[in-house]
Amino acid sequence: MDKDMKVIPLIPLRGITIFPYMVLHFDVGREKSILALEEAMLSDQKIFLAAQKEAKIEEPDEDDIFNIGTICNIKQILKLPGDTVRVLVEGESRGRLKEYIEKEPFLKVKIEVLEDKECVESQKCEALVRSVKKSFEQYTKLSGSIPVETVITDDLDSPGRLSDVVSSYLMLKQESKQELLEAYDVEERLEKLLEILTNEVDILKLERNIGAKVKNKIDKVQKEYYLREQLKAIQEELGEEDEDKKEIAKYKNKINKARLPKPVKEKALYELDRLKNSGSYSAEGGVIRTYLDWILDLPWNTETKDNLDIKTARAVLEKEHYGLEDVKDRIIEYLAVRKMSNSLRGPILCLVGPPGVGKTSIARSIANALNRKFVRMSLGGVRDEAEIRGHRKTYVGAIPGRIIYGMKQAKSKNPLFLLDEIDKMSNDFRGNPADALLEILDAEQNNTYRDHYLELDFDLSNVLFITTANSLETIPRPLLDRMEIIEVSGYTSEEKFHICKDHLITKKLKEHEIDEEKIKFSDASIYYLIDHYTRESGVRSLERKTSSVIRKAVAEMLEKDKKNIIITVNKVKSYLGPEIYIYDKADKEDKVGVVMGMAWTGYGGDTLPIEVTVMPGTGKLELTGQLGDVMKESAKAGYSYVRANAYKYGIDKEFYKNKDLHIHVPEGAVPKDGPSAGVTMITAMVSALSEKKVKHNVAMTGEITLTGRVLPIGGLKEKSLAAYRAGIDTVIIPKDNEKDLFKIPKTIKSKLNYIIADNIDIVLKSAIVKND
């Protein structure tokens, strides 16, 4: 065997790295390791210690142990309870594992002894040694765990030995220690050690700075605490009350004066005791103080006195709003019953209608009529249940929900609470706010409404809740079931005229601070403004156009030194430019295959002419005009009905084989959908196929079945208005819609002839011109 080779037992170490010149004791528990120790003690007491790559491995193989380790002398062995041996070793030199001689019953290996490769450049080596000593001194001072004089002594003149001794004292990761152990080139080892030391010193400096900042903060808090305690003691000696006691007394006085319900008062006094014990300057003290403020600010027993004078209430509602008779009647009914019984709970109304018809503003007028406080809460875009019910007090920055916040804002327990845009709510992972409204909008439950933040029962039964929505489709069914639905339909031109004349013009002149005598509108100009510059169910656009006309009139008065001005149709044209909207006008003559239908849009009613052309072909049905799925299905159902009943209307039975039908609904760029065009399409197809003309003064609406039944539709009031505006004098409607005729204004109904139809034969008989 070569001189620098040795065969000795091996113990793999877990999480430990031993350097030459290092004295260390560790515990051995694995059976193979204990046997390796016993073998070493029987021979020359030398053992090879190498670290495992993964400490978790219980039975390491060749690939699991580092090749570079340390040859050590065993100094002492001590047996501990539980088959564990504690061994004291001293590192002698580095060694490289060359070969595994035995693997059972313990590991025996051939080791190459590695001598330190001394520095080539003595000056560089000396500089590295000095830098390492200096950095290690800084490290020991900053860490405070080891005195530097116990480590660096004069006899550590060898650079290799110095680096190994310093490495053994550093608290490093296993990878870093193994790198230093594998560096048998002394110069390389010193460079690596200096790099590690510099990094460790920087980290220790940062740790010390952080520690100093934390200590300063703690010291400051402690100092403030001691000073406050001393101040309390001084105030007690002088017979003065401290600020804490004054605050507690102030809260107690407020609680006693607030006329709180018994459970609320008990809770408030309990929280006050907690505030007294926790101290006003603690974080908990701030939370308790905010909670007490909320309890004391809420109107537990404060309410306004309702105005039960029905005549006065009716006068207020009529003065502020034109139309909306259903809503006004319902409020008057509530007042009448309340006056008689004095025990009726407030109704929960839901006003449904298109934008701009006055749903939100009528709610404010109702509050004025009833002499109640008004609170508005917009639900558009609300998606978090905590917005309604509040957050638990345990959360940082917790506050009550918007219902309780609204009650605090009202300062009354019986306000009118408007929940605006209830159909615009959504939900996400934070819960569904619509579910939180179920309790609030239930007259049987809301007398014990419990907010998450307050955790106290609050009575909402005296609140008059009014909600608004543009559509009922997106409101959950359980929520819809709790509300009384009042439909607010779009305004007719006549109603818009009165609103503009009696309300909007006056409002805008007042906003601009202009005398009503200086600018006056002719009736014709108002009608012209409504018909040709707005197309909507409500009056928002009309209000904007009216405001624009007034501004331009003011500008003209100042430029031309006029003292007053009368707005005529020509003035409206000159101020607002060309007409924006031109309504369809009925044809002056009867035509084949052209029928006037009626449609409902978000802006109100409109006429919808439908054209059918027949061409030689193979039986194709072409549909154009941006029709939706429902409208396409109506066309197909109508086509099948005509084909099945061709003999009744004098149509060629074989038309589906030799004729192509093209159905077109102008305007082509506007999307159209809905089931109410079925009768119109059948009439147009029968007219085109039989070559009989359709009366130009007739309009129609209704859904159709394959057996020819005419089914009901919606929006009859708006559709009738559109027909009247287009110059139609006869309207065909489904029989089931006869009950809706009372909703149509008398001024319109008196000028239209309504034909009631329950099957398509009546429609065709009334609409198609008989041949001479």
Side-chain angles (χ1 to χ4, degrees):
M1 187 180 293
D2 296 335
K3 185 179 179 182
D4 55 352
M5 289 287 186
K6 291 184 178 183
V7 176
I8 52 176
L10 162 68
I11 294 181
L13 299 177
R14 292 195 281 191
I16 303 172
T17 302
I18 294 179
F19 290 92
Y21 313 107
M22 182 179 176
V23 178
L24 179 77
H25 62 77
F26 59 91
D27 294 342
V28 177
R30 290 187 283 196
E31 188 180 347
K32 276 189 175 183
S33 300
I34 292 171
L35 291 172
L37 271 176
E38 290 172 355
E39 173 66 20
M41 291 301 292
L42 292 173
S43 54
D44 56 357
Q45 297 184 353
K46 291 195 184 296
I47 195 154
F48 185 65
L49 300 178
Q52 287 183 202
K53 294 175 182 177
E54 293 287 339
K56 294 178 183 177
I57 299 171
E58 192 64 34
E59 294 289 337
D61 204 355
E62 294 179 24
D63 296 334
D64 300 324
I65 302 169
F66 286 110
N67 287 335
I68 304 294
T70 307
I71 301 165
C72 298
N73 290 316
I74 300 171
K75 294 291 187 183
Q76 186 182 26
I77 288 181
L78 179 66
K79 287 194 175 181
L80 300 175
D83 298 329
T84 303
V85 175
R86 181 164 291 173
V87 58
L88 180 69
V89 297
E90 180 183 11
E92 185 179 284
S93 63
R94 285 171 173 73
R96 179 184 280 114
L97 197 158
K98 300 295 287 183
E99 184 184 347
Y100 282 84
I101 305 298
E102 292 179 15
K103 291 188 179 181
E104 296 294 338
F106 56 86
L107 297 174
K108 184 179 278 190
V109 291
K110 182 189 284 188
I111 301 299
E112 177 189 356
V113 179
L114 298 174
E115 299 294 337
D116 283 353
K117 186 178 177 184
E118 295 299 332
C119 300
V120 178
E121 300 179 30
S122 58
Q123 286 185 337
K124 184 180 178 182
C125 194
E126 180 63 27
L128 285 169
V129 167
R130 288 182 185 180
S131 297
V132 166
K133 284 183 178 181
K134 187 177 178 181
S135 295
F136 188 62
E137 283 177 18
Q138 284 182 287
Y139 176 84
T140 52
K141 284 176 185 175
L142 288 168
S143 67
S145 57
I146 38 174
V148 68
E149 56 272 9
T150 61
V151 181
I152 301 178
T153 56
D154 293 337
D155 60 347
L156 287 179
D157 51 353
S158 165
R161 186 171 182 182
L162 172 72
S163 60
D164 285 337
V165 171
V166 169
S167 299
S168 67
Y169 278 95
L170 297 179
M171 299 294 291
L172 301 174
K173 291 181 181 177
Q174 179 81 26
E175 295 82 1
S176 300
K177 285 193 173 186
Q178 188 65 32
E179 278 184 29
L180 290 169
L181 185 65
E182 291 180 0
Y184 57 89
D185 185 325
V186 173
E187 189 176 311
E188 182 190 343
R189 195 188 314 160
L190 284 168
E191 286 176 351
K192 282 186 179 179
L193 181 59
L194 183 58
E195 183 184 340
I196 290 169
L197 270 170
T198 305
N199 188 47
E200 288 295 315
V201 166
D202 289 342
I203 292 169
L204 286 170
K205 281 180 181 177
L206 192 58
E207 282 181 2
R208 175 164 286 195
N209 288 337
I210 293 168
K213 285 180 183 176
V214 172
K215 188 174 184 299
N216 286 339
K217 285 182 182 177
I218 293 169
D219 288 347
K220 186 181 177 184
V221 171
Q222 288 177 335
K223 182 182 176 183
E224 286 177 359
Y225 174 75
Y226 287 130
L227 287 172
R228 286 197 194 97
E229 291 299 315
Q230 287 173 350
L231 182 61
K232 283 181 185 178
I234 292 166
Q235 286 173 334
E236 283 177 10
E237 288 294 322
L238 293 172
E240 295 177 358
E241 286 190 3
D242 65 352
E243 289 299 319
D244 285 359
K245 285 184 179 177
K246 284 182 183 176
E247 186 182 39
I248 299 296
K250 188 178 175 183
Y251 272 120
K252 195 161 190 175
N253 187 39
K254 280 185 178 179
I255 290 167
N256 290 330
K257 284 185 177 179
R259 294 188 303 119
L260 301 173
K262 188 180 176 182
V264 178
K265 188 174 181 178
E266 288 173 358
K267 177 72 172 174
L269 291 172
Y270 169 73
E271 292 294 333
L272 192 61
D273 284 339
R274 288 183 61 219
L275 179 63
K276 195 187 297 181
N277 296 328
S278 65
S280 60
Y281 292 95
S282 66
E284 184 68 15
V287 173
I288 296 169
R289 212 182 284 106
T290 306
Y291 182 74
L292 285 171
D293 289 340
W294 269 102
I295 286 180
L296 293 168
D297 284 344
L298 286 171
W300 299 95
N301 286 306
T302 308
E303 62 182 17
T304 55
K305 188 176 180 181
D306 282 351
N307 168 32
L308 299 178
D309 187 338
I310 292 174
K311 290 180 181 177
T312 306
R314 172 77 77 176
V316 171
L317 293 173
E318 293 294 348
K319 180 184 175 184
E320 296 184 6
H321 279 81
Y322 182 88
L324 302 175
E325 297 303 328
D326 290 348
V327 186
K328 292 175 185 175
D329 289 344
R330 182 63 184 87
I331 296 304
I332 297 301
E333 289 165 13
Y334 163 70
L335 281 178
V337 178
R338 180 74 186 268
K339 190 171 183 178
M340 291 288 286
S341 65
N342 202 30
S343 62
L344 186 69
R345 288 179 175 176
I348 295 167
L349 307 178
C350 180
L351 309 182
V352 184
V357 294
K359 299 186 297 296
T360 303
S361 58
I362 189 70
R364 194 181 293 274
S365 297
I366 292 168
N368 293 339
L370 297 178
N371 189 35
R372 289 198 179 196
K373 301 285 187 182
F374 178 75
V375 182
R376 177 181 170 273
M377 172 183 167
S378 177
L379 294 171
V382 171
R383 60 179 63 195
D384 185 358
E385 185 190 348
E387 288 262 346
I388 309 294
R389 278 196 171 274
H391 302 81
R392 303 269 179 206
K393 283 206 305 287
T394 49
Y395 293 110
V396 177
I399 56 171
R402 289 168 68 180
I403 298 295
I404 292 296
Y405 188 87
M407 297 307 293
K408 176 189 171 184
Q409 185 184 349
K411 296 180 181 177
S412 161
K413 66 179 290 189
N414 66 334
L416 187 147
F417 207 122
L418 176 66
L419 299 171
D420 219 357
E421 310 287 0
I422 199 170
D423 57 327
K424 306 294 190 304
M425 283 188 297
S426 55
N427 62 78
D428 60 11
F429 63 92
R430 290 168 291 190
N432 189 347
D435 295 340
L437 287 176
L438 292 176
E439 180 187 0
I440 295 159
L441 298 180
D442 192 332
E444 299 299 322
Q445 300 178 36
N446 63 12
N447 60 330
T448 55
Y449 171 67
R450 187 170 279 247
D451 185 90
H452 286 158
Y453 178 81
L454 289 181
E455 293 182 334
L456 291 166
D457 290 343
F458 192 90
D459 187 2
L460 297 175
S461 60
N462 293 320
V463 178
L464 177 58
F465 284 105
I466 294 182
T467 67
T468 70
N470 295 132
S471 168
L472 298 177
E473 292 175 6
T474 55
I475 303 175
R477 295 296 110 183
L479 189 58
L480 200 59
D481 183 55
R482 284 162 165 75
M483 300 183 291
E484 184 179 335
I485 309 300
I486 298 179
E487 290 191 11
V488 183
S489 58
Y491 295 119
T492 64
S493 289
E494 197 68 27
E495 288 170 331
K496 287 182 184 178
F497 169 77
H498 287 291
I499 291 168
C500 186
K501 185 175 182 179
D502 300 337
H503 297 278
L504 298 184
I505 294 172
T506 307
K507 176 184 173 184
K508 289 299 166 186
L509 289 173
K510 192 179 288 184
E511 278 182 15
H512 293 86
E513 297 182 357
I514 300 167
D515 188 354
E516 290 186 22
E517 296 299 318
K518 290 186 176 180
I519 297 178
K520 289 188 176 181
F521 283 73
S522 69
D523 290 354
S525 68
I526 297 173
Y527 279 116
Y528 189 76
L529 195 62
I530 292 165
D531 291 339
H532 298 288
Y533 292 93
T534 64
R535 182 173 286 186
E536 56 178 345
S537 297
V539 290
R540 282 207 186 106
S541 181
L542 178 59
E543 185 177 352
R544 286 192 289 269
K545 294 296 181 184
T546 304
S547 183
S548 177
V549 168
I550 290 171
R551 288 196 306 272
K552 291 179 187 300
V554 171
E556 184 181 337
M557 285 168 65
L558 293 173
E559 285 175 359
K560 298 182 178 178
D561 294 326
K562 291 183 178 180
K563 291 188 177 180
N564 53 48
I565 197 165
I566 295 174
I567 308 297
T568 62
V569 171
N570 289 332
K571 286 283 184 190
V572 173
K573 284 182 182 178
S574 65
Y575 289 158
L576 301 181
E579 297 172 349
I580 298 174
Y581 301 107
I582 299 171
Y583 289 97
D584 292 324
K585 290 291 180 183
D587 288 327
K588 299 296 182 185
E589 58 183 35
D590 304 336
K591 290 183 179 179
V592 173
V594 180
V595 183
M596 184 66 80
M598 297 186 293
W600 183 90
T601 70
Y603 301 105
D606 202 358
T607 51
L608 194 72
I610 291 179
E611 302 172 349
V612 175
T613 297
V614 179
M615 303 160 284
T618 57
K620 291 179 183 175
L621 178 64
E622 186 74 30
L623 303 171
T624 56
Q626 280 222 58
L627 307 186
D629 291 339
V630 177
M631 215 162 177
K632 287 177 181 177
E633 288 176 3
S634 290
K636 291 175 183 175
Y639 183 78
S640 296
Y641 175 81
V642 172
R643 182 177 162 187
N645 295 276
Y647 66 93
K648 285 170 63 176
Y649 308 116
I651 298 170
D652 178 14
K653 293 181 182 179
E654 302 294 319
F655 79 88
Y656 64 91
K657 293 180 181 178
N658 51 37
K659 302 283 185 184
D660 285 349
L661 261 68
H662 185 154
I663 300 176
H664 178 65
V665 186
E667 307 159 17
V670 179
K672 308 166 196 75
D673 203 5
S676 62
V679 294
T680 318
M681 288 183 173
I682 285 183
T683 305
M685 282 189 273
V686 169
S687 169
L689 289 166
S690 64
E691 296 183 359
K692 293 177 181 178
K693 294 181 179 179
V694 178
K695 296 175 183 177
H696 68 276
N697 62 328
V698 173
M700 60 187 70
T701 182
E703 189 178 354
I704 194 69
T705 68
L706 285 173
T707 57
R709 284 176 56 230
V710 178
L711 302 182
I713 46 81
L716 183 62
K717 175 184 170 183
E718 289 81 2
K719 290 177 178 178
S720 298
L721 179 63
Y724 169 72
R725 197 169 49 219
I728 299 291
D729 58 24
T730 303
V731 176
I732 302 172
I733 64 170
K735 185 174 179 57
D736 289 340
N737 284 115
E738 190 175 4
K739 64 183 185 299
D740 298 323
L741 289 173
F742 79 94
K743 295 180 182 178
I744 299 168
K746 291 178 182 177
T747 53
I748 304 297
K749 199 193 304 185
S750 62
K751 294 174 182 176
L752 291 176
N753 173 33
Y754 286 95
I755 296 174
I756 311 300
D758 58 359
N759 64 73
I760 194 67
D761 289 337
I762 296 173
V763 176
L764 295 171
K765 185 179 178 182
S766 305
I768 292 180
V769 178
K770 294 178 182 178
N771 292 334
D772 296 333

